[in-house]
């Protein structure tokens, strides 16, 4: 699910123009477990926030392209009162780097893959570099630098509960550091 909102300069939303609203892309490997969960949780916490322009998720791999989220992700969301989430897995696209202000990786492998891709794209198209999104570890917003969301795909159901707690904590950190304080770089 890609959620798009438009903030208008004429709306009493506290934003001078829509450029200040940020777009956020969550990225994991398969785009069926962690990043869809991050997207759904972040969306639930920012639903009516005009400072968010667009939210989506993607995978660095294409293994599950077109698939719905893992049932254990949906269970964890439903257990936390999110029952309207709908998503089809997709692989990250080159255009995502221009379309999203923040590209947030779930673990350090995802981060490294995204940074390599961004570097390759910037080399091919140097004029695009300045407009490319910030690639960061989502867990850097959790209170201590470098916290990763461990891939729960092959693990116990409990891994999805742990991941959910992280998604809430990291989302709240992002909201307070980027949206409230207006920082636009890593915490
Ligand atoms: P995700 O989990 O990256 O959190 O979506 C995974 C899902 C599937 C696979 C790996 C990780 N897989 O290898 O199929």
């Amino acid at each position: 699910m890609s959620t798009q909102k438009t903030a208008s300069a004429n709306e009493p939303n506290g934003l001078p123009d829509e450029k200040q609203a940020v777009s956020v892309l969550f990225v994991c490997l398969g785009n069926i477990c962690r990043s869809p969960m991050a997207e759904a949780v972040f969306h639930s916490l920012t639903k009516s926030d005009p400072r968010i322009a667009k939210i989506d998720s993607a995978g660095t791999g294409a293994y599950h392209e077109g698939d719905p989220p893992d049932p254990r992700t949906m269970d964890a969301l439903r257990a936390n009162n999110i029952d309207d989430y709908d998503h089809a897995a997709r692989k990250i696209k080159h255009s995502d780097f221009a379309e999203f202000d923040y590209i947030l990786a779930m673990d350090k492998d995802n981060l490294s893959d995204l940074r390599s891709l961004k570097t390759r794209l910037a080399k091919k198209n140097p004029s695009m570099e300045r407009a490319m999104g910030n690639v960061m570890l989502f867990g850097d917003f959790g209170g201590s630098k470098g916290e990763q969301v461990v891939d729960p795909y092959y693990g116990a159901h409990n891994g999805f509960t742990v991941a959910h707690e992280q998604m809430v904590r990291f989302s709240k950190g992002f909201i307070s550091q980027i949206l409230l304080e207006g920082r636009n770089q890593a915490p």
Side-chain angles (χ1 to χ4, degrees), residues 28-36 63-64 110 151-154:
C28 60
L29 173 60
N31 193 216
I32 57 168
C33 298
R34 294 166 292 172
S35 59
Y63 318 104
H64 292 276
N110 309 148
D151 190 348
Y153 185 65
Y154 293 108

